[in-house]
Amino acid sequence: MDDFLAARLQMAFSLGFHIIFACIGMVMPFFMSVAHFYWLKTKNVVYRDVTKAWSRGVAIFFATGAVSGTVLSFELGLLWPKFMEHAGPIFGMPFSLEGTAFFIEAIALGFYLYGWDKINAWFHWATGVVVGISGLLSGILVVAANSWMNSPSGFDYINGEYLNIDPIKAMFNDAWFSQALHMCIAAFVSTGFAVAGVHALMILRGRNVQFHHKAFKIAAIFGTVAACLQPLSGDISAKDIAKRQPEKLAAMEAHFHTERNAPLIIGGIPDTANSRVDYAIKIPGLLSFMATGDFNGEVKGLDQVPKEDRPPVAITHYAFQIMVGLGMAMVLISVLYFIALWKKKSWMESKWLMKLFVIAIPMGFIALEAGWTVTEVGRQPWIIRGIMRTADAVTPMPGIAYSFYLFTAVYISLSIIVSLLLYRQITMVGKLYDSTAKDSEL
């Protein structure tokens, strides 16, 4: 394995690990705050127990996200020094603001975890809301930095020099809104379905059904509403990408030839050597409509992109298909859940609906990883689109392959530890609920 590939793999593995725990850490505080609000309003001890159980999970994911995020910060400088040398002064502002948001989140979480029965009840609840808001802001700021790589702005690139730097314009670049919106909704979808699925599994096993029903409903509402909103944000992203990164859209759809009335391609196996897609379902005109709002609109194909500037088509296309396919599956589950809430109350007690949510536990996170693959691989061969190639930004230091093996081992170990902690936390929920239920009876 050469050092360039090792550096890319290490960064990809680190991001793939961090994004899951960061998204859970962004979203879970909102679930926790809703359960806490119901406890304050109803004094139902079940909501208090749900709140405390989720708060322990929030603490675990906060710590894990902090560790993996810190590693990523070091990796940017160690693996991509040329990139940081030039790009750091331009998009450093969102990173510094993200550090401030993280600082606030840490303080608020400390108040929340240790404030039970020690501070005003509503102030205590408010600190939990602050944890969620600051965590969400952290995610938006990080995505703003990433979106700058897809849509560089806030500077003039003259004779190889970065001049007239405007960090505000760089942070609020053309891609930040659509990318941040899509990412935030994806975080709610993936976390909502995963948490709801875990509680659905406990319901199917008959363990503390009342507790898990309350928790399931909160998580399911967040996840299903977000899943139905996600196609709308996806449409915004598709139209934005069609304007700014037509080569990425072409790779996502394996769209080799520029044409009007371009078909939407579902599935298929890209044949880059012959510029075609085999075994695909094609819906005439739909890609043109999605990209331009006109069924006869022209969609740029890869034939207008120099070969050396084309993204890897197969990886981008397959990742996009996985993201969309799993996203639509979760939309279908969401529709069934809404029908159960409003029309078919008996479905809420059925095993098949709970089993659907159990099956969906990994769907959101797989779609999340696939979406980030589209974002990052679809930008290649550029680390700063149109300005700096990824190969030109990598460190000249040898032995990166050993670093990749070491970090992979660390992340795998950390994943196992976190999984064991979460399993222990879930099994402890029963004991917690049993004890509080007996206390309330007394």
Side-chain angles (χ1 to χ4, degrees), residues 165-192:
I165 293 173
D166 183 347
I168 299 295
K169 188 176 180 180
M171 184 166 66
F172 296 108
N173 56 80
D174 292 340
W176 85 268
F177 175 76
S178 61
Q179 206 170 308
L181 178 66
H182 200 60
M183 182 65 218
C184 289
I185 295 176
F188 277 94
V189 174
S190 55
T191 305

Side-chain angles (χ1 to χ4, degrees), residues 94 136-137 139-153 167-184 236-237 240 244-245:
L136 194 62
L137 285 175
I140 291 172
L141 289 165
V142 170
V143 172
N146 178 269
S147 65
W148 178 84
M149 297 163 68
N150 292 314
S151 181
S153 59
I168 299 295
K169 188 176 180 180
M171 184 166 66
F172 296 108
N173 56 80
D174 292 340
W176 85 268
F177 175 76
S178 61
Q179 206 170 308
L181 178 66
H182 200 60
M183 182 65 218
C184 289
I236 294 172
S237 294
D240 177 63
R244 292 185 303 95
Q245 293 179 282

Side-chain angles (χ1 to χ4, degrees), residues 39 48 52 111-121 124:
W39 151 243
R48 184 193 63 189
K52 288 189 173 182
F111 271 104
Y112 192 84
L113 293 176
Y114 298 103
W116 286 95
D117 304 320
K118 295 182 178 67
I119 56 179
N120 177 272
H124 183 216

Side-chain angles (χ1 to χ4, degrees), residues 46-119:
V46 179
Y47 285 118
R48 184 193 63 189
D49 294 340
V50 171
T51 304
K52 288 189 173 182
W54 279 348
S55 69
R56 294 184 179 94
V58 168
I60 292 171
F61 287 113
F62 176 83
T64 309
V67 171
S68 57
T70 302
V71 171
L72 275 172
S73 300
F74 284 113
E75 284 182 340
L76 281 172
L78 292 173
L79 299 178
W80 313 102
K82 289 291 184 182
F83 169 69
M84 292 303 294
E85 176 186 352
H86 297 289
I90 304 173
F91 74 73
M93 178 173 285
F95 275 133
S96 62
L97 292 175
E98 190 274 337
T100 303
F102 175 80
F103 183 66
I104 295 171
E105 183 183 5
I107 294 173
L109 183 60
F111 271 104
Y112 192 84
L113 293 176
Y114 298 103
W116 286 95
D117 304 320
K118 295 182 178 67
I119 56 179

Side-chain angles (χ1 to χ4, degrees), residues 24-320:
I24 297 174
M26 286 164 53
V27 172
M28 278 294 294
F30 291 101
F31 297 1
M32 175 186 75
S33 297
V34 170
H36 195 170
F37 178 82
Y38 281 131
W39 151 243
L40 292 175
K41 295 295 288 186
T42 66
K43 297 303 179 183
N44 185 333
V45 293
V46 179
Y47 285 118
R48 184 193 63 189
D49 294 340
V50 171
T51 304
K52 288 189 173 182
W54 279 348
S55 69
R56 294 184 179 94
V58 168
I60 292 171
F61 287 113
F62 176 83
T64 309
V67 171
S68 57
T70 302
V71 171
L72 275 172
S73 300
F74 284 113
E75 284 182 340
L76 281 172
L78 292 173
L79 299 178
W80 313 102
K82 289 291 184 182
F83 169 69
M84 292 303 294
E85 176 186 352
H86 297 289
I90 304 173
F91 74 73
M93 178 173 285
F95 275 133
S96 62
L97 292 175
E98 190 274 337
T100 303
F102 175 80
F103 183 66
I104 295 171
E105 183 183 5
I107 294 173
L109 183 60
F111 271 104
Y112 192 84
L113 293 176
Y114 298 103
W116 286 95
D117 304 320
K118 295 182 178 67
I119 56 179
N120 177 272
W122 284 105
F123 177 78
H124 183 216
W125 170 80
T127 61
V129 176
V130 171
V131 172
I133 293 173
S134 55
L136 194 62
L137 285 175
S138 292
I140 291 172
L141 289 165
V142 170
V143 172
N146 178 269
S147 65
W148 178 84
M149 297 163 68
N150 292 314
S151 181
S153 59
F155 65 96
D156 294 323
Y157 187 65
I158 302 173
N159 297 326
E161 296 186 15
Y162 299 79
L163 306 174
N164 303 321
I165 293 173
D166 183 347
I168 299 295
K169 188 176 180 180
M171 184 166 66
F172 296 108
N173 56 80
D174 292 340
W176 85 268
F177 175 76
S178 61
Q179 206 170 308
L181 178 66
H182 200 60
M183 182 65 218
C184 289
I185 295 176
F188 277 94
V189 174
S190 55
T191 305
F193 270 88
V195 174
V198 170
H199 289 291
L201 180 61
M202 296 298 106
I203 292 171
L204 289 172
R205 292 179 176 178
R207 298 180 182 176
N208 306 315
V209 175
Q210 185 182 6
F211 174 96
H212 290 292
H213 260 301
K214 300 289 188 187
F216 168 82
K217 188 172 183 179
I218 293 171
I221 290 293
F222 271 103
T224 52
V225 170
C228 292
L229 293 175
Q230 190 68 306
L232 300 178
S233 74
D235 181 66
I236 294 172
S237 294
K239 286 181 170 57
D240 177 63
I241 291 172
K243 293 178 181 178
R244 292 185 303 95
Q245 293 179 282
E247 69 281 359
K248 178 183 286 188
L249 180 65
M252 288 160 56
E253 280 293 320
H255 183 63
F256 290 99
H257 305 288
T258 302
E259 59 183 316
R260 295 185 177 275
N261 194 36
L264 180 71
I265 295 176
I266 301 176
I269 301 175
D271 181 355
T272 54
N274 296 301
S275 299
R276 69 186 188 195
V277 184
D278 299 323
Y279 314 112
I281 299 172
K282 297 183 179 181
I283 304 177
L286 191 54
L287 180 60
S288 288
F289 179 76
M290 293 175 66
T292 67
D294 180 2
F295 282 101
N296 198 43
E298 183 179 89
V299 179
K300 184 178 179 180
L302 290 168
D303 56 353
Q304 292 193 18
V305 182
K307 287 187 177 181
E308 65 272 15
D309 294 340
R310 294 179 185 177
V313 177
I315 295 175
T316 308
H317 177 69
Y318 294 141
F320 180 67

Side-chain angles (χ1 to χ4, degrees), residues 3-4 7 77-82 390-398 400:
D3 289 335
F4 178 52
L78 292 173
L79 299 178
W80 313 102
K82 289 291 184 182
T390 308
D392 297 332
V394 72
T395 178
M397 182 180 70
I400 299 300

